[in-house]
Amino acid sequence: MTENRLRGVRPDRDAVTGVATGKPAKLGRRRGGKGRGGRRDGAPTVPDAEFTSYYNLPVINKPVWSSLDIAGYLFLGGLAGAASLLGAGAQATGRPALSQVSKAGAFGAGVLSLAGLVHDLGRPSRFLNMLRVFKVTSPMSVGSWLLAGYVPLAGVAAASSLSGKAPRIGMAATAGSALLGPAVASYTAALISDTAVPAWHDGYPEMPFVFVGSGATAAAGLGLLAAPVTQNGPSRAMAVFGVGTELAAFERMQRRIGMTAEPYSQGRGGGYLRAGKILSGVGLVGALLGRRNRVLSALSGAALIAASAATRWGIFHAGLQSATDPQYTIVPQRERLRAAAPPVGFAEP
Amino acid sequence: MAPVDIQIGRGPNLDGALLGDTDPATQGGYPDHPPRMGFFTDTSVCIGCKACEVACKTWNAIPEDGLVFTGMSMDNSQGLGASTWRHVAFIEQRKPVAAQDPGVVHDQNVLELAGNPTAPGTNGDFRWLMASDVCKHCTHAACLDVCPTGSLFRTEFGTVVVQEDICNGCGYCIPACPYGVIDQRKEDGRAWKCTLCYDRLSVGQEPACAKACPTDSIQFGPLDELRERADARLARLHEAGVADARLYGRDPQDGVGGDGAFFLLLDEPEVYGLPPDPVVTTRDLPSMWKHVTVAAATLVGGALAAFVAGRRL
Ligand code: SF4
């Protein structure tokens, strides 16, 4: 029997929590005014030393993407885009072997990355729905259109280059793929940054530079692996550019974003990234020392390709780690709130 | 603020499409539309009966998604997901309740006679928070922004709905949601979430969860009205000394432009598993595209330089 029911009225959604309906709040003060009304009394509010969460469960849902498909997609897209540039430049400067290798690699990587994307869909048969609309707000939409334009061009460029047929069309396709290539290599950074995954989102200003650097490293590696040393001068220079850009951008990002960068040096993601750094260094030194040694050059190329892949896998896994641990979502947001509005109640009498 | 007609890509208005206070249905292409509808979930009257979870599952024919015992108080559904569109959180705290008076009248105080310290009017250092979580139907919805197929769309009620016959399961919406709402159903590969009972709304019915809620903790209605009601409710609670009470997702100036489904909470949002300051990820997208463009140009520059330097390397 409730008090109110006797009167025919139930508080229902107007029921007041914590105090009897209609009673004054004085019962709420206990232990020296530290009860409900504490903050209004000006009692000091101590900032939380640690963060709270709901049973330590993640706040956001982590990506359901498989690492082979999507980390592979990031890696192959970078390789393809940068290789198109290398292929076009090699053609323009009379390096036929490097041109052929790069164009074939670009097309192969493009096709494989598309395959990875399709394979990762929950409903692969509905892949064409990607081309139902074009949305600048969706990097995946932009990317699908980009790949739909890029892969055929890269295919024609490679076919013409390898067969020696239709040189004019081949030239146009080479130019087209070299034009779209840089976009293919860099847009994937927006793809992963445009999420609520803390390590990916927070790193968005530097991520595209990490990605083009990593793409250049991979394309240079491909040239070194498969083309003769005499034609590989540009590949070596591109390796210097790729490794340098990638490492510098990554360093900067880690320093800037602070806490959310932790997963980049921890666990599986951190492991892959460390491996990527070592392989980059080894590959770069090998490439520069092996200017006249075909075997050393090829080995360095393989190391550079592996370095690029390791970096992408590392970034992918670090993102998952940052999504799974609620502290990376909660603490930076708390800090942001605290910075915007300092807690009331610090004013000492 | 007057509603503005904005289409993405039309230049100067792009910002308005990605942040700030706005009328989502107008922006979604409905010049003439019913008022924006939403939920006000007042957790201070939630009794944790889970009628909303059950009603939601039943009405929307959502498959079973795991019968487990978690030990997390009374919470066994753990969080929102592809097959859990309402989720009741349970939090047990060693915090004093202001004065937990159930309003029960005893002619004789039997409990006190028995020497029980939990007699009415006495404070105990324990409180039990319950809250029914749901998709926030954000004003600026990241899930909708990033969906590459147009499967996620804005309804005339200003809500956000997935069209299951279009979704190809790319999964992009899942990490995009700042609240961890939408998820993939493993069995069919597609993304699912609360529709705010679009089918029921279309015929003038209220959503199943709100209908089933016995305490009116879940209130459904035009968002403007709900906001007013929530403000009054908050004032009432503060007046009664419940200083912990706060509204969450009520502010149209927050990182997602305000939630279509907002809450009255009795503790910090993260205690309930909610992000304290969510921001729609696409807010930064214009800047992301700028950085991508500069990086692409850098790659072109790097390649050119490589061919120049490559003659000597
Ligand atoms: S809460 Fe998440 S799923 Fe719901 S509308 Fe907002 S972004 Fe989309």
Side-chain angles (χ1 to χ4, degrees), chain B residues 135-138 141-144 160 177-179 181-182 193:
Chain B
C135 168
K136 318 297 178 290
H137 296 275
C138 312
C143 62
L144 191 162
V160 179
C177 172
Y179 299 98
V181 170
I182 194 162
K193 72 170 193 72

Side-chain angles (χ1 to χ4, degrees), chain A residues 117-167:
Chain A
L117 181 65
V118 175
H119 183 248
D120 202 59
L121 295 179
R123 289 282 178 113
S125 61
R126 291 188 184 169
F127 169 71
L128 284 180
N129 280 5
M130 288 280 193
L131 306 180
R132 241 183 112 245
V133 290
F134 176 78
K135 286 168 77 174
V136 274
T137 58
S138 170
M140 196 177 286
S141 169
V142 173
S144 303
W145 284 100
L146 206 53
L147 282 179
Y150 170 80
V151 172
L153 282 174
V156 172
S160 162
S161 173
L162 291 176
S163 68
K165 291 200 181 111

Side-chain angles (χ1 to χ4, degrees), chain A residues 205-256:
Chain A
E206 292 89 3
M207 202 65 86
F209 296 91
V210 175
F211 275 31
V212 297
S214 174
T217 305
L222 180 68
L224 291 165
L225 179 67
V229 281
T230 47
Q231 294 186 22
N232 259 328
S235 309
R236 287 187 280 272
M238 197 147 181
V240 175
F241 162 77
V243 172
T245 309
E246 176 190 327
L247 292 184
F250 207 92
E251 245 336 278
R252 199 188 132 101
M253 173 177 84
Q254 273 184 301
R255 250 182 290 123
R256 190 181 55 80

Side-chain angles (χ1 to χ4, degrees), chain B residues 38-95:
Chain B
F39 286 129
F40 166 44
T41 307
D42 178 353
T43 70
S44 68
V45 286
C46 179
I47 54 169
C49 71
K50 305 187 194 179
C52 51
E53 279 192 24
V54 175
C56 177
K57 279 243 180 198
T58 314
W59 177 261
N60 294 299
I62 303 176
E64 174 262 305
D65 59 340
L67 299 168
V68 287
F69 180 71
T70 64
M72 291 158 31
S73 191
M74 296 283 277
D75 181 0
N76 291 318
S77 49
Q78 297 177 67
L80 295 172
S83 301
T84 305
W85 300 351
R86 267 280 176 194
H87 161 248
V88 185
F90 292 79
I91 301 114
E92 297 172 20
Q93 292 181 323
R94 284 275 161 230
K95 281 192 184 173

Side-chain angles (χ1 to χ4, degrees), chain A residues 1-3 12-23 25 27-28 30-31 36-37 39-40 52-55 57 59-65 82 85-86 89-90 93 95 120-123 126-127 129-130 132-133 135-142 182-183 185-187 190-197 201 204-205 208-209 212 216 233-234 236-238 240-241 288 291 329-330 333-334 336-337, chain B residues 8 44-45 72-73 75 78 89-91 96-101 103 105 123 125 127 144-150 164-170 172 174-184 186 188-190 215-216 219 229 233 236-238 240-244 266 268-273 275-279 281-282 284-285 287-289 291-292 294-296 298-300 302 306-307 310 313:
Chain A
M1 250 192 328
T2 70
E3 240 175 303
D12 208 28
R13 69 181 180 213
D14 295 324
V16 176
T17 304
V19 286
T21 315
K23 275 189 194 165
L27 284 171
R30 57 196 301 268
R31 288 187 190 165
R36 291 289 79 107
R39 275 183 224 170
R40 285 201 307 189
T52 11
S53 72
Y54 185 67
Y55 299 97
L57 291 174
V59 173
I60 61 166
N61 287 335
K62 70 165 196 238
V64 290
W65 299 324
L85 282 174
L86 201 58
T93 56
R95 294 177 167 92
D120 202 59
L121 295 179
R123 289 282 178 113
R126 291 188 184 169
F127 169 71
N129 280 5
M130 288 280 193
R132 241 183 112 245
V133 290
K135 286 168 77 174
V136 274
T137 58
S138 170
M140 196 177 286
S141 169
V142 173
S186 57
Y187 95 87
L191 178 82
I192 63 162
S193 295
D194 194 25
T195 59
V197 175
H201 181 96
Y204 81 81
F209 296 91
V212 297
R236 287 187 280 272
M238 197 147 181
V240 175
F241 162 77
L288 294 177
R291 267 181 277 188
T329 305
I330 294 168
Q333 294 189 16
R334 260 287 142 228
R336 193 158 68 210
L337 287 175
Chain B
I8 305 281
S44 68
V45 286
M72 291 158 31
S73 191
D75 181 0
Q78 297 177 67
F90 292 79
I91 301 114
V97 177
Q100 188 76 326
D101 187 334
V105 182
N123 295 316
D125 268 0
R127 66 170 182 169
L144 191 162
D145 284 345
V146 305
C147 173
T149 63
E164 67 239 38
D165 52 340
I166 306 269
C167 176
N168 68 9
C170 77
Y172 201 8
I174 295 161
C177 172
Y179 299 98
V181 170
I182 194 162
D183 211 347
Q184 187 178 48
K186 290 282 167 291
D188 69 11
R190 290 174 291 179
T215 65
D216 257 358
Q219 300 172 35
R229 202 185 292 165
R233 171 74 180 159
R236 171 86 186 85
L237 285 174
H238 281 169
V242 189
D244 269 353
L266 295 174
E268 304 289 4
E270 55 265 41
V271 169
Y272 298 88
D277 185 25
V279 171
T281 180
T282 33
D284 295 322
L285 189 59
S287 174
M288 288 177 201
W289 282 135
H291 284 90
V292 164
V294 177
T298 308
L299 180 57
V300 175
F307 279 95
L313 217 62

